[in-house]
Amino acid sequence: MIVREVTVKNRAGLHTRPASMIVRTASRFKSDFYIEKDGYEINGKSIIGVMTLAAEQGARLKLIFEGEDEQEAAEAIVSLFEQGFGEVE
């Protein structure tokens, strides 16, 4: 299991486009992927789950990966957050 903490950098937070980028990227991997915010954990491969987090700019999230390709999945998803989903000015 790999656990990473990230901060939402983009101004609009995890709205529809970044949420769909997360789900689309996570779905390429076999590993389970969960996102935790304020003690609430959701399936990171569910667009509805990601949207219910209502993660605003500056929110701290815990990303949890578990499975055979967890390292690759972690790198890909953390990279999205680090790049601000292409929205950071």
Side-chain angles (χ1 to χ4, degrees):
M1 180 168 66
I2 295 175
V3 178
R4 297 280 187 264
E5 288 200 12
V6 295
T7 301
V8 177
K9 294 181 179 182
N10 55 312
R11 184 173 295 165
L14 291 187
H15 59 89
T16 306
R17 194 179 73 76
S20 68
M21 290 173 73
I22 291 169
V23 172
R24 196 169 41 248
T25 301
S27 296
R28 296 190 337 233
F29 300 97
K30 293 180 180 178
S31 295
D32 292 329
F33 168 51
Y34 300 95
I35 304 174
E36 185 179 304
K37 177 181 180 256
D38 301 328
Y40 181 66
E41 185 176 284
I42 58 92
N43 182 340
K45 293 183 178 183
S46 163
I47 188 73
I48 299 299
V50 176
M51 295 294 294
T52 61
L53 290 175
E56 67 286 346
Q57 183 180 31
R60 299 278 304 153
L61 305 175
K62 185 186 295 184
L63 309 180
I64 303 159
F65 305 88
E66 188 166 14
E68 61 188 76
D69 54 2
E70 62 190 23
Q71 184 64 45
E72 295 87 353
E75 290 171 7
I77 300 292
V78 168
S79 176
L80 290 175
F81 280 92
E82 289 175 348
Q83 296 170 14
F85 302 96
E87 297 179 359
V88 175
E89 296 153 11

